[in-house]
Amino acid sequence: MNDETGGTRRRRAILFDVDEGPAPERREGRVIAVPDGPLDPASAPPVPDVEAVPQASGRAMQTLALLAARRETGLARWFWGTLAAVLAFAISVAAWDFVTTLLATRPVLGLVAAALVGAFLLVALAVALREIVALSRLGRIDELRDLARQATDLKAARALADRVAAFYAGRADTRWGREELATRRDDVFDADGMVALTERTLLAPLDAAATREVEAAARQVAMVTAVVPLALADVAAAMTSNLRMIRRIALIYGGRGGTLGSWRLAKTVLTHLAATGAVAVGDDLIHSVAGGGVLAKLSRRFGEGMVNGALTARVGVAAMEVCRPLPFAHERPPRVTGIVQRSLTGLFGPGEAGSDAR
């Protein structure tokens, strides 16, 4: 109600009934209930945890290593061997009947079919010979490694240097190293110095080329794992990239691995890594590679990509140690840390690769 006095309007006071109890406290648009009695921090409700991104585990690389390292039993080998023999026999009999029947009914077409089958057999024979040559090259690398372990005197070291130089004869990328080794060969008078000279002149440039292949493979695996959301795509990408990387490393060191040789070499490398636990993701690897980047903290896929890239670098270093004609005795092997920094830094953001991955 309003009361007009002397031409001025005055508003009467209004009385409100307020219930007893603590009044709610308003803070930034939210109503917070104040409890009865004195405030006690111990009685405060717990702060809800922020949903954390699961730690990356490198599932693709670990799955690949476990599949490659799995040993088949004798019964399984006999099963697959006899199955392949039965299929080959059935295909051969069917091809023979097809060609002979065609020669009897349609001689011209039969001659064409016989020529095609003969060409196929020649190509298959050439492929088999290439595989045999590739396996023999890998065997020569194993022999050189055995000779390097036995080179304890100057005569044996010089013989080893000659064998390594002969192994790389005819390659243009090793011509300067072979010439340098031949020039300085007689100036070295101890076995360790001879082996060191051989590593420095012939193998150091090959080590640099192999390291670049490892960096490229690690970058590719990390990118595919982080971008492709399919479940088995990261495993397929890791398998393809690692097999290609191992094959190229073998070619750099002179292995010339064919299909069977490359698969045997990849199985040997991954079996060694699985046996030594090198493909296991430790706390140091997760913290330094995946946990060190902002994007890895926000997205599990980015974290998986970075861990898979680091594990690919480990596989590459192991492949270099297996394919190298001489073990790393006087030259330092490439560190996984450096490979990860060069290959992954800048891929998910500046400085995201961490400082220690080994």
Side-chain angles (χ1 to χ4, degrees), residues 34-41 43:
V34 179
D36 297 336
L39 297 178
D40 186 7
S43 62

Side-chain angles (χ1 to χ4, degrees), residues 317-340:
V317 172
M320 292 175 62
E321 294 176 352
V322 171
C323 299
R324 203 171 187 262
L326 300 180
F328 286 100
H330 302 277
E331 293 289 325
R332 293 186 60 182
R335 292 181 58 83
V336 176
T337 302
I339 295 176
V340 171

Side-chain angles (χ1 to χ4, degrees), residues 44-330:
V47 179
D49 295 333
V50 180
E51 185 178 357
V53 179
Q55 286 185 342
S57 59
R59 179 182 58 86
M61 288 299 301
Q62 295 192 49
T63 303
L64 177 60
L66 292 178
L67 290 176
R70 185 179 58 182
R71 295 183 178 181
E72 295 182 355
T73 61
L75 184 61
R77 286 195 294 267
W78 274 102
F79 172 78
W80 292 112
T82 53
L83 179 61
V86 170
L87 291 178
F89 181 75
I91 293 174
S92 301
V93 172
W96 178 266
D97 291 341
F98 172 73
V99 173
T100 54
T101 302
L102 203 59
L103 283 173
T105 56
R106 297 178 178 84
V108 177
L109 296 179
L111 291 176
V112 173
L116 292 176
V117 171
F120 172 76
L121 293 178
L122 290 178
V123 172
L125 181 60
V127 171
L129 292 176
R130 189 189 66 175
E131 294 293 335
I132 294 175
V133 172
L135 292 176
S136 66
R137 294 280 295 185
L138 295 177
R140 290 182 61 186
I141 291 179
D142 295 336
E143 293 178 0
L144 291 175
R145 295 177 66 88
D146 294 337
L147 290 177
R149 297 187 187 96
Q150 302 172 3
T152 57
D153 56 350
L154 180 60
K155 182 178 179 180
R158 287 181 174 175
L160 174 65
D162 294 338
R163 290 283 300 273
V164 175
F167 182 75
Y168 290 114
R171 288 185 52 170
D173 55 346
T174 61
R175 181 177 59 85
W176 179 88
R178 287 184 280 110
E179 294 176 353
E180 183 70 13
L181 178 63
T183 302
R184 302 179 56 185
R185 178 179 181 275
D186 297 332
D187 298 335
V188 181
F189 300 99
D190 63 290
D192 291 338
M194 195 71 236
V195 176
L197 178 64
T198 304
E199 285 192 65
R200 186 168 57 253
T201 55
L202 288 178
L203 299 182
L206 303 182
D207 294 339
T211 303
R212 289 192 293 269
E213 292 293 338
V214 176
E215 294 173 1
R219 187 181 303 108
Q220 183 179 13
V221 170
M223 177 61 72
V224 173
T225 304
V227 174
V228 179
L230 299 180
L232 296 179
D234 52 356
V235 179
M239 178 182 296
T240 304
S241 299
N242 280 269
L243 289 177
R244 188 191 306 115
M245 175 187 65
I246 294 174
R247 181 183 177 87
R248 290 180 177 177
I249 290 175
L251 289 174
I252 289 173
Y253 286 114
R256 298 179 185 176
T259 303
L260 295 179
S262 299
W263 180 252
R264 192 201 73 172
L265 192 60
K267 188 176 179 64
T268 301
V269 172
L270 294 177
T271 301
H272 170 72
L273 289 175
T276 56
V279 292
V281 180
D283 294 337
D284 56 343
L285 182 63
I286 294 176
H287 180 268
S288 59
V289 179
V294 176
L295 290 178
K297 293 179 180 178
L298 299 178
S299 173
R300 186 176 183 272
R301 296 301 301 176
F302 284 106
E304 285 285 341
M306 299 181 74
V307 173
N308 284 333
L311 293 178
T312 301
R314 286 183 176 179
V315 174
V317 172
M320 292 175 62
E321 294 176 352
V322 171
C323 299
R324 203 171 187 262
L326 300 180
F328 286 100
H330 302 277

